Amino acid sequence: MKKNIITLSELVADGKMIAFIKGNRSVNSKNISKKKTSFEKFGMNLVPLMYVEGQKAIDDGCVLIHPITRKEIPKEEAYKYVAIIEGQNRYVAAKEKGLGEDNLYLYECYSDENIKKILAETNIVVEPWNGLDYANGAALFNPENQLAQFAKELADLSYPISTIG
């Protein structure tokens, strides 16, 4: 079961349209703004959007909605759609920014689990950076900076690798 990262233009060429799932977390204007800034820097989304076939979402008890109008999509049209289950803010930002469909990357969800469970999990496991993450980031971007390296060493000591696994 090999899943590939594809572009939105490839999905569209296959006759697919984009839908969201009713009840998924709402898009956030502050988050969209950050995504637009990232698109300006890199000309693409660095983290692919995750999608499922629209019919799978319907079969799992979900309701598809249009990503812009938020109107429900009839169940009998679900086969025409893929539903974004992770990356709604990136999708809206890409549309608002005018990011070309060749520069918007997606991948099909590799789990056979119920979509509602997947949505719940992806919305729960997201965690913002903490101080240790920022210390590691500073060291990564400033390898010659002694203070950044010292902060990284302290961060590494506070989360020993032996706790993993």
Side-chain angles (χ1 to χ4, degrees):
M1 171 173 75
K2 184 175 181 182
K3 303 288 181 176
N4 294 315
I5 295 176
I6 62 172
T7 64
L8 179 56
S9 62
E10 290 173 283
L11 277 174
V12 169
D14 284 341
K16 296 292 186 175
M17 295 179 281
I18 298 294
F20 287 172
I21 294 178
K22 186 175 186 176
N24 194 0
R25 220 180 342 189
S26 299
V27 294
N28 175 295
S29 60
K30 186 176 178 182
N31 196 347
I32 289 169
S33 179
K34 290 178 184 178
K35 304 300 182 197
K36 286 181 184 178
T37 301
S38 177
F39 294 159
E40 287 173 12
K41 287 182 190 176
F42 297 99
M44 59 182 278
N45 58 311
L46 296 175
V47 178
L49 291 69
M50 182 171 44
Y51 72 92
V52 296
E53 290 292 331
Q55 191 59 55
K56 168 140 175 58
I58 294 295
D59 292 346
D60 284 355
C62 298
V63 174
L64 300 181
I65 59 173
H66 188 278
I68 306 301
T69 67
R70 301 290 190 193
K71 291 184 179 179
E72 286 188 18
I73 297 167
K75 290 180 182 182
E76 56 274 5
E77 293 184 19
Y79 72 93
K80 298 177 185 177
Y81 290 85
V82 298
I84 294 175
I85 58 174
E86 176 61 28
Q88 294 180 137
N89 286 295
R90 282 169 282 180
Y91 178 80
V92 171
K95 284 301 190 185
E96 288 182 5
K97 186 70 183 155
L99 187 69
E101 292 179 347
D102 286 333
N103 296 322
L104 185 60
Y105 294 89
L106 306 95
Y107 70 96
E108 188 172 5
C109 180
Y110 47 82
S111 174
D112 292 328
E113 191 65 57
N114 183 288
I115 299 307
K116 290 180 180 182
K117 287 184 180 179
I118 294 170
L119 278 174
E121 185 69 15
T122 59
N123 285 329
I124 291 169
V125 298
V126 174
E127 184 160 338
W129 274 27
N130 62 31
L132 301 177
D133 297 322
Y134 283 106
N136 284 323
L140 175 66
F141 283 99
N142 301 291
E144 302 301 318
N145 184 298
Q146 290 180 351
L147 181 58
Q149 295 307 314
F150 177 73
K152 180 189 181 329
E153 288 174 21
L154 287 178
D156 289 343
L157 289 175
S158 67
Y159 193 76
I161 196 97
S162 63
T163 63
I164 299 172

